[in-house]
PDB file of all heavy atoms in Angstrom:
ATOM      1  N   HIS A 502      26.615 -72.935  73.461  1.00 99.00           N
ATOM      2  CA  HIS A 502      27.795 -73.086  74.334  1.00 99.00           C
ATOM      3  C   HIS A 502      28.174 -71.731  74.943  1.00 99.00           C
ATOM      4  O   HIS A 502      28.577 -70.816  74.236  1.00 99.00           O
ATOM      5  CB  HIS A 502      28.941 -73.635  73.483  1.00 99.00           C
ATOM      6  CG  HIS A 502      30.211 -73.873  74.232  1.00 99.00           C
ATOM      7  ND1 HIS A 502      31.339 -73.092  74.064  1.00 99.00           N
ATOM      8  CD2 HIS A 502      30.537 -74.816  75.161  1.00 99.00           C
ATOM      9  CE1 HIS A 502      32.310 -73.546  74.832  1.00 99.00           C
ATOM     10  NE2 HIS A 502      31.860 -74.580  75.510  1.00 99.00           N
ATOM     11  N   ARG A 503      27.988 -71.625  76.237  1.00 98.00           N
ATOM     12  CA  ARG A 503      28.211 -70.354  76.968  1.00 98.00           C
ATOM     13  C   ARG A 503      27.318 -69.246  76.419  1.00 98.00           C
ATOM     14  O   ARG A 503      27.660 -68.062  76.491  1.00 98.00           O
ATOM     15  CB  ARG A 503      29.684 -69.937  76.933  1.00 98.00           C
ATOM     16  CG  ARG A 503      30.665 -71.055  77.262  1.00 98.00           C
ATOM     17  CD  ARG A 503      32.110 -70.582  77.300  1.00 98.00           C
ATOM     18  NE  ARG A 503      33.044 -71.711  77.201  1.00 98.00           N
ATOM     19  CZ  ARG A 503      34.356 -71.630  77.083  1.00 98.00           C
ATOM     20  NH1 ARG A 503      34.934 -70.436  77.084  1.00 98.00           N
ATOM     21  NH2 ARG A 503      35.118 -72.710  76.995  1.00 98.00           N
ATOM     22  N   GLU A 529      23.791 -73.500  77.673  1.00 99.00           N
ATOM     23  CA  GLU A 529      24.745 -74.030  78.649  1.00 99.00           C
ATOM     24  C   GLU A 529      25.103 -73.028  79.750  1.00 99.00           C
ATOM     25  O   GLU A 529      25.251 -71.836  79.479  1.00 99.00           O
ATOM     26  CB  GLU A 529      26.043 -74.454  77.947  1.00 99.00           C
ATOM     27  CG  GLU A 529      26.956 -75.250  78.868  1.00 99.00           C
ATOM     28  CD  GLU A 529      28.423 -75.206  78.482  1.00 99.00           C
ATOM     29  OE1 GLU A 529      28.880 -74.255  77.846  1.00 99.00           O
ATOM     30  OE2 GLU A 529      29.133 -76.150  78.881  1.00 99.00           O
ATOM     31  N   ASP A 531      28.165 -72.916  82.707  1.00 99.00           N
ATOM     32  CA  ASP A 531      29.266 -73.459  83.513  1.00 99.00           C
ATOM     33  C   ASP A 531      29.109 -72.822  84.888  1.00 99.00           C
ATOM     34  O   ASP A 531      28.907 -71.610  84.996  1.00 99.00           O
ATOM     35  CB  ASP A 531      30.622 -73.081  82.916  1.00 99.00           C
ATOM     36  CG  ASP A 531      30.893 -73.791  81.593  1.00 99.00           C
ATOM     37  OD1 ASP A 531      30.665 -75.007  81.515  1.00 99.00           O
ATOM     38  OD2 ASP A 531      31.323 -73.115  80.648  1.00 99.00           O
ATOM     39  N   HIS A 544      32.970 -69.773  83.119  1.00 98.00           N
ATOM     40  CA  HIS A 544      33.620 -70.979  82.594  1.00 98.00           C
ATOM     41  C   HIS A 544      34.767 -71.454  83.483  1.00 98.00           C
ATOM     42  O   HIS A 544      34.942 -72.651  83.710  1.00 98.00           O
ATOM     43  CB  HIS A 544      34.153 -70.751  81.178  1.00 98.00           C
ATOM     44  CG  HIS A 544      34.878 -71.941  80.662  1.00 98.00           C
ATOM     45  ND1 HIS A 544      36.253 -72.077  80.726  1.00 98.00           N
ATOM     46  CD2 HIS A 544      34.428 -73.103  80.123  1.00 98.00           C
ATOM     47  CE1 HIS A 544      36.605 -73.246  80.241  1.00 98.00           C
ATOM     48  NE2 HIS A 544      35.528 -73.892  79.862  1.00 98.00           N
ATOM     49  N   GLU A 637      26.995 -77.236  83.705  1.00 99.00           N
ATOM     50  CA  GLU A 637      28.191 -78.048  83.986  1.00 99.00           C
ATOM     51  C   GLU A 637      28.713 -77.689  85.373  1.00 99.00           C
ATOM     52  O   GLU A 637      28.968 -76.513  85.662  1.00 99.00           O
ATOM     53  CB  GLU A 637      29.289 -77.800  82.954  1.00 99.00           C
ATOM     54  CG  GLU A 637      30.554 -78.609  83.294  1.00 99.00           C
ATOM     55  CD  GLU A 637      31.756 -78.312  82.400  1.00 99.00           C
ATOM     56  OE1 GLU A 637      31.593 -77.708  81.322  1.00 99.00           O
ATOM     57  OE2 GLU A 637      32.869 -78.690  82.812  1.00 99.00           O
ATOM     58  N   LYS A 639      31.574 -77.236  87.470  1.00 98.00           N
ATOM     59  CA  LYS A 639      32.983 -77.025  87.159  1.00 98.00           C
ATOM     60  C   LYS A 639      33.866 -77.493  88.313  1.00 98.00           C
ATOM     61  O   LYS A 639      33.679 -77.082  89.459  1.00 98.00           O
ATOM     62  CB  LYS A 639      33.239 -75.540  86.896  1.00 98.00           C
ATOM     63  CG  LYS A 639      32.882 -75.116  85.492  1.00 98.00           C
ATOM     64  CD  LYS A 639      33.883 -75.698  84.501  1.00 98.00           C
ATOM     65  CE  LYS A 639      33.472 -75.416  83.063  1.00 98.00           C
ATOM     66  NZ  LYS A 639      34.351 -76.080  82.101  1.00 98.00           N
ATOM     67  N   GLN A 674      26.002 -81.868  83.455  1.00 98.00           N
ATOM     68  CA  GLN A 674      27.270 -82.399  82.938  1.00 98.00           C
ATOM     69  C   GLN A 674      28.416 -82.131  83.904  1.00 98.00           C
ATOM     70  O   GLN A 674      28.425 -81.134  84.623  1.00 98.00           O
ATOM     71  CB  GLN A 674      27.581 -81.753  81.577  1.00 98.00           C
ATOM     72  CG  GLN A 674      27.388 -80.264  81.579  1.00 98.00           C
ATOM     73  CD  GLN A 674      27.943 -79.518  80.364  1.00 98.00           C
ATOM     74  OE1 GLN A 674      28.776 -80.015  79.633  1.00 98.00           O
ATOM     75  NE2 GLN A 674      27.468 -78.293  80.177  1.00 98.00           N
ATOM     76  N   PHE A 676      32.988 -83.139  84.038  1.00 98.00           N
ATOM     77  CA  PHE A 676      34.156 -83.906  83.584  1.00 98.00           C
ATOM     78  C   PHE A 676      34.580 -84.937  84.622  1.00 98.00           C
ATOM     79  O   PHE A 676      35.427 -85.785  84.345  1.00 98.00           O
ATOM     80  CB  PHE A 676      35.347 -82.966  83.333  1.00 98.00           C
ATOM     81  CG  PHE A 676      35.363 -82.293  81.984  1.00 98.00           C
ATOM     82  CD1 PHE A 676      34.997 -80.963  81.838  1.00 98.00           C
ATOM     83  CD2 PHE A 676      35.772 -82.985  80.852  1.00 98.00           C
ATOM     84  CE1 PHE A 676      35.040 -80.331  80.598  1.00 98.00           C
ATOM     85  CE2 PHE A 676      35.820 -82.368  79.608  1.00 98.00           C
ATOM     86  CZ  PHE A 676      35.449 -81.039  79.475  1.00 98.00           C
ATOM     87  N   LEU A 701      31.421 -85.662  80.589  1.00 99.00           N
ATOM     88  CA  LEU A 701      32.296 -85.001  79.628  1.00 99.00           C
ATOM     89  C   LEU A 701      33.605 -85.781  79.531  1.00 99.00           C
ATOM     90  O   LEU A 701      34.117 -86.295  80.532  1.00 99.00           O
ATOM     91  CB  LEU A 701      32.571 -83.563  80.064  1.00 99.00           C
ATOM     92  CG  LEU A 701      31.333 -82.656  80.095  1.00 99.00           C
ATOM     93  CD1 LEU A 701      31.679 -81.320  80.743  1.00 99.00           C
ATOM     94  CD2 LEU A 701      30.772 -82.445  78.691  1.00 99.00           C
ATOM     95  N   TYR A 779      31.822 -81.151  71.736  1.00 98.00           N
ATOM     96  CA  TYR A 779      32.163 -79.741  71.838  1.00 98.00           C
ATOM     97  C   TYR A 779      33.446 -79.482  71.073  1.00 98.00           C
ATOM     98  O   TYR A 779      34.215 -80.429  70.886  1.00 98.00           O
ATOM     99  CB  TYR A 779      32.311 -79.350  73.311  1.00 98.00           C
ATOM    100  CG  TYR A 779      33.387 -80.111  74.076  1.00 98.00           C
ATOM    101  CD1 TYR A 779      34.716 -79.690  74.106  1.00 98.00           C
ATOM    102  CD2 TYR A 779      33.066 -81.297  74.766  1.00 98.00           C
ATOM    103  CE1 TYR A 779      35.698 -80.398  74.809  1.00 98.00           C
ATOM    104  CE2 TYR A 779      34.045 -82.000  75.482  1.00 98.00           C
ATOM    105  CZ  TYR A 779      35.345 -81.540  75.485  1.00 98.00           C
ATOM    106  OH  TYR A 779      36.316 -82.232  76.182  1.00 98.00           O
ATOM    107  N   PHE A 812      27.629 -78.773  70.870  1.00 99.00           N
ATOM    108  CA  PHE A 812      27.839 -77.532  71.605  1.00 99.00           C
ATOM    109  C   PHE A 812      28.442 -76.528  70.626  1.00 99.00           C
ATOM    110  O   PHE A 812      29.491 -76.811  70.036  1.00 99.00           O
ATOM    111  CB  PHE A 812      28.853 -77.721  72.731  1.00 99.00           C
ATOM    112  CG  PHE A 812      28.348 -78.450  73.939  1.00 99.00           C
ATOM    113  CD1 PHE A 812      28.451 -79.836  74.024  1.00 99.00           C
ATOM    114  CD2 PHE A 812      27.808 -77.760  75.014  1.00 99.00           C
ATOM    115  CE1 PHE A 812      28.021 -80.513  75.150  1.00 99.00           C
ATOM    116  CE2 PHE A 812      27.370 -78.434  76.149  1.00 99.00           C
ATOM    117  CZ  PHE A 812      27.470 -79.810  76.218  1.00 99.00           C
TER     118      PHE A 812
HETATM  119  O1  G3P B2233      30.685 -78.704  78.567  1.00 58.63           O
HETATM  120  C1  G3P B2233      30.897 -78.938  77.214  1.00 58.63           C
HETATM  121  C2  G3P B2233      31.983 -78.054  76.848  1.00 58.63           C
HETATM  122  O2  G3P B2233      31.586 -76.788  77.291  1.00 58.63           O
HETATM  123  C3  G3P B2233      33.245 -78.469  77.513  1.00 58.63           C
HETATM  124  O3  G3P B2233      34.171 -77.536  77.331  1.00 58.63           O
HETATM  125  O4  G3P B2233      35.725 -76.168  78.549  1.00 58.63           O
HETATM  126  O5  G3P B2233      33.909 -75.103  77.250  1.00 58.63           O
HETATM  127  O6  G3P B2233      33.400 -76.227  79.374  1.00 58.63           O
HETATM  128  P1  G3P B2233      34.276 -76.208  78.181  1.00 58.63           P
END
Side-chain angles (χ1 to χ4, degrees):
H502 181 251
R503 313 184 198 173
E529 191 204 26
D531 291 314
H544 177 264
E637 178 186 344
K639 278 289 174 186
Q674 46 168 341
F676 276 103
L701 296 171
Y779 60 87
F812 285 90

